[in-house]
Amino acid sequence: MGDDRTMPVLLSGMQPSGDLMIGNLCGALRNWVKLQEEYDCLYCVVDMHAITVPQEPKLLRKRSLDFLCLYLAAGIDPERSTVFVQSHVSAHAELAWILGCHTYMGELSRMTQYKEKAGKQGKNIRAGLFFYPALMAADILLYGANLVPVGDDQRQHLELTRDVAQRFNRMYGETFVVPEPYFPEVGARIMSLTDPTSKMSKSSDNPKSYIALLDPPDVIRSKIRKAVTDSGTEVAFDPERRPAISNLMVLRSAFTGESMEEIREAYAGKGYGAYKEDLGEILVQELAPIQQRFRELREDKATLDRLMAEGAARAERRARKTIEKARRRIGFPARPVKHR
Ligand code: AQP
C-alpha cells in the first residue's frame, strides 16, 4: 500500500492559503478520490508554497491541519494513498535548492503565475514567489511522479519541471522520472457567488464569494440566498447572458447530477428565490457528512497525529531515495552515517 510501485505514481497538492471550498471539492478533491483506484497517489498540503505570499502563522498552521483532515473527510484513504504535509518532509526544500541551481532566471521570469501574483504583491515581492517553480519541480521529482493533474494555471510549471528534469538527466545521467501532465476529467468549474465572471477562489478576500467546505448550514444558506443574480427571473442555462443563474445551475448539477434541461424544467415559473432556497439546502445536506467526518478527525488529536506521522514517514522514505541519488550525482560528499 502506498509504496506499491506497480501503479503509475500521481502527485497533487493544494496550498492552505484560504478556506478549502466547493470549487476545490468539485474540481479537484472528488477526482482525487477516484484516482486512488488506478494510481499510486501522493496528496500533500503544500504549506511551503503558501508562504510565497504573506500568511498569518497561527492561521497557516490551523489551515494546514484543516486541509489534511478535509482531504481525508472527502474520501482520500490514508492506507491507500500517501497523504502528508509538505514541510514535514525536508527533502522538498533540499531538492528545490538543487533544482533551483539548474533552473535559469529567464525560465522563471517567463512564468505567468509569477507575473500575476507579483503584480498583486506590490513593492516587496518575495524571492520565494519567483523560485516557486523549483519547489514545485522538487515536489514532483522527489517521488518519481509519472503523472501530475494540471489545470491551465499549472501547465507552464509542469513544462518547466520536465525541462529541468531532462536537463539534469542529460548533465549527470538518468536521475529523475520525467512527469507527464494528467488532464483530469473536467469537473464543474464553479464561479464566484459575488462575481460570476471570475472563478470561485479559496484565497478571495471576500468570503461571501465562496462556500467553504466548513461553512455552517446557516452560513451556506445565507451565502446562496445573497449570491448575485441576473436580471430576469427564469432559471435557464445561458452563461453568456445569465452568468449568475447559470453558475448556480452548474453548482446544483455538480451535486445532483441533473442536466441543465432537467433543472430548467423543474423550476419553470418558480423564480430565483425558490431555486436558491433549494440549492442552499442541497449544499447543506451534501456537505454534512464531510463536515461530520472532519470534526471527528480534527477533534481526535491522537489519530490525527498518528496519520500525519505515518504519511510523513511514508513520503520521507520515498523521497529519501531520490534526494540521495541527486546528491551523489552532483558531487555532494556522502552524508556522515548518523545524518542519513
Ligand atoms: N472555482 C473552481 N472550480 C473548479 N475547480 C476549482 N479549483 C480551484 N478553484 C476551482 C481546483 O482546485 C484545485 C486547487 O486549485 P488552486 O490551488 O488554484 O485553488 P484556488 O482556490 O483557485 O486557489 P487560489 O485562490 O487561486 O489561491 P492560491 O493561488 O493561493 O492557491 C485545482 O485542481 C483547481 O483546478
Side-chain angles (χ1 to χ4, degrees):
M1 292 282 187
D3 289 1
D4 175 2
R5 295 302 182 113
T6 56
M7 295 195 284
V9 179
L10 181 142
L11 176 131
S12 200
M14 288 194 262
Q15 299 191 39
S17 53
D19 301 319
L20 214 54
M21 47 84 189
I22 42 170
N24 303 125
L25 178 68
C26 300
L29 261 180
R30 278 175 168 181
N31 204 34
W32 286 11
V33 174
K34 285 198 228 145
L35 289 169
Q36 299 182 110
E37 306 288 330
E38 286 175 66
Y39 300 99
D40 169 10
C41 298
L42 294 115
Y43 295 124
C44 50
V45 177
V46 288
D47 53 346
M48 292 167 71
H49 285 289
I51 61 164
T52 52
V53 300
Q55 300 291 343
E56 211 274 289
K58 262 195 197 153
L59 198 53
L60 178 62
R61 190 161 26 247
K62 176 187 174 299
R63 279 179 176 153
S64 298
L65 299 183
D66 285 354
F67 270 48
L68 193 87
C69 292
L70 279 169
Y71 288 3
L72 301 172
I76 304 296
D77 175 0
E79 290 293 318
R80 197 186 259 189
S81 301
T82 304
V83 189
F84 65 105
V85 176
Q86 182 190 28
S87 69
H88 286 169
V89 183
S90 55
H92 286 257
E94 203 176 343
L95 187 61
W97 179 252
I98 295 174
L99 295 176
C101 291
H102 295 80
T103 307
Y104 305 135
M105 295 287 285
E107 290 174 318
L108 293 174
S109 322
R110 279 196 291 277
M111 295 296 117
T112 322
Q113 195 180 73
Y114 166 71
K115 291 186 213 162
E116 280 171 14
K117 290 199 172 180
K120 286 185 202 151
Q121 274 193 22
K123 241 184 11 196
N124 292 323
I125 298 160
R126 297 177 174 211
L129 191 63
F130 188 67
F131 198 72
Y132 171 109
L135 179 58
M136 176 166 155
D139 303 337
I140 297 166
L141 300 182
L142 267 181
Y143 301 101
N146 306 94
L147 295 165
V148 182
V150 281
D152 281 342
D153 53 342
Q154 290 304 332
R155 214 171 277 207
Q156 217 185 5
H157 293 155
L158 185 65
E159 212 32 65
L160 181 57
T161 301
R162 289 169 51 83
D163 290 347
V164 175
Q166 281 162 342
R167 180 175 308 146
F168 195 101
N169 288 349
R170 266 198 311 276
M171 289 172 79
Y172 304 104
E174 215 53 30
T175 308
F176 298 122
V177 174
V178 179
E180 300 287 334
Y182 170 87
F183 300 103
E185 229 176 80
V186 187
R189 189 164 189 265
I190 313 293
M191 310 306 279
S192 156
L193 297 179
T194 48
D195 170 13
T197 59
S198 63
K199 198 181 74 137
M200 185 179 282
S201 160
K202 66 172 144 50
S203 60
S204 162
D205 292 335
N206 180 4
K208 293 202 176 86
S209 69
Y210 59 80
I211 306 275
L213 298 187
L214 297 177
D215 274 343
D218 284 351
V219 174
I220 297 175
R221 292 188 190 101
S222 154
K223 283 184 180 177
I224 293 293
R225 230 175 261 136
K226 288 182 186 147
V228 295
T229 30
D230 318 284
S231 52
T233 54
E234 199 196 341
V235 177
F237 189 68
D238 183 352
E240 288 295 314
R241 289 174 39 232
R242 297 176 184 192
I245 190 66
S246 300
N247 184 39
L248 297 182
M249 292 174 79
V250 170
L251 195 47
R252 176 174 169 124
S253 159
F255 286 95
T256 63
E258 292 161 293
S259 69
M260 296 304 149
E261 192 46 31
E262 284 166 338
I263 300 176
R264 191 187 65 78
E265 280 171 16
Y267 285 90
K270 289 192 182 159
Y272 293 155
Y275 182 80
K276 284 171 150 184
E277 283 306 310
D278 291 351
L279 177 59
E281 223 37 59
I282 289 169
L283 296 181
V284 166
Q285 298 305 325
E286 291 288 327
L287 292 183
I290 296 180
Q291 296 186 346
Q292 175 63 24
R293 285 193 291 272
F294 170 85
R295 273 193 299 273
E296 283 164 14
L297 183 58
R298 195 69 170 87
E299 284 158 19
D300 180 355
K301 190 167 175 324
T303 303
L304 176 55
D305 284 351
R306 178 179 59 76
L307 290 175
M308 218 158 31
E310 285 172 3
R314 192 188 280 178
E316 169 82 36
R317 211 164 41 240
R318 298 176 68 160
R320 202 38 55 201
K321 292 183 194 149
T322 316
I323 190 71
E324 293 309 328
K325 193 169 179 187
R327 287 175 51 94
R328 263 200 318 278
R329 293 276 202 220
I330 58 170
F332 285 174
R335 285 183 226 265
V337 174
K338 76 178 172 89
H339 289 294
R340 273 185 204 157

